[in-house]
Amino acid sequence: MRMDKLTSRFTQALGDAQSLAVARDHSVLEPAHLLAALLDQQGGGTRPLLAQAGVNVAALRERLGETLEKLPKVSGQAGNISVGNDLARLLNVTDKLAQQRGDAYIASELFLLAALDDGGDVGRALKATGATRAKLEAAID
């Protein structure tokens, strides 16, 4: 995936996700880090978009916190973080969605769609808190 095609907000959220992983002593950057960063982003559009799509955002954030707590911690890693396979796959799916839609840039909204269709922790958390593809696409459009 080309990082230069990410929107500035999405790029900022990736940086925030990395900081979150470092602060929690995680050595692998996972989708839960990125979605938590998107939800916590000041002035970001993810929280209002999800609320518009009928998602219980507070419950989603709580579930993400629980997911992050379960991730293994590594002490003495000196800040070395790698992108996990799940996040890399979701970012590639996000890129593909942008291409299919003819979008010049890759936005966080498309990451939400990719995560919702995924069977991982983030996808399950989105579904459990009220997200559906139809409602999310309607909110995006």
Side-chain angles (χ1 to χ4, degrees):
M1 183 171 84
R2 291 186 45 195
M3 298 301 279
D4 62 325
K5 294 185 85 179
L6 300 178
T7 63
S8 59
R9 287 270 186 202
F10 199 29
T11 302
Q12 179 186 4
L14 278 168
D16 292 344
Q18 183 176 353
S19 293
L20 178 61
V22 168
R24 289 177 168 263
D25 292 323
H26 297 153
S27 62
V28 178
L29 193 58
E30 298 289 355
H33 292 109
L34 181 52
L35 186 51
L38 286 166
L39 289 176
D40 295 345
Q41 196 172 49
Q42 294 296 319
T46 300
R47 187 177 279 272
L49 178 77
L50 288 171
Q52 182 181 348
V55 174
N56 182 337
V57 178
L60 175 60
R61 187 63 183 89
E62 186 176 322
R63 284 184 71 120
L64 290 173
E66 292 167 3
T67 298
L68 292 172
E69 282 300 315
K70 293 176 186 173
L71 293 175
K73 296 182 185 221
V74 180
S75 59
Q77 65 174 341
N80 292 327
I81 301 284
S82 63
V83 175
N85 291 335
D86 291 341
L87 181 57
R89 182 177 35 75
L90 279 178
L91 290 174
N92 286 333
V93 171
T94 303
D95 186 3
K96 185 175 182 177
L97 287 172
Q99 291 175 35
Q100 290 171 345
R101 294 169 64 106
D103 293 348
Y105 292 97
I106 301 167
S108 55
E109 295 84 5
L110 298 180
F111 174 77
L112 295 174
L113 287 173
L116 182 61
D117 288 342
D118 189 63
D121 290 336
V122 170
R124 286 192 301 274
L126 283 164
K127 289 174 189 149
T129 55
T132 66
R133 186 166 185 93
K135 287 194 266 184
L136 192 52
E137 284 180 338
I140 290 170
D141 293 334

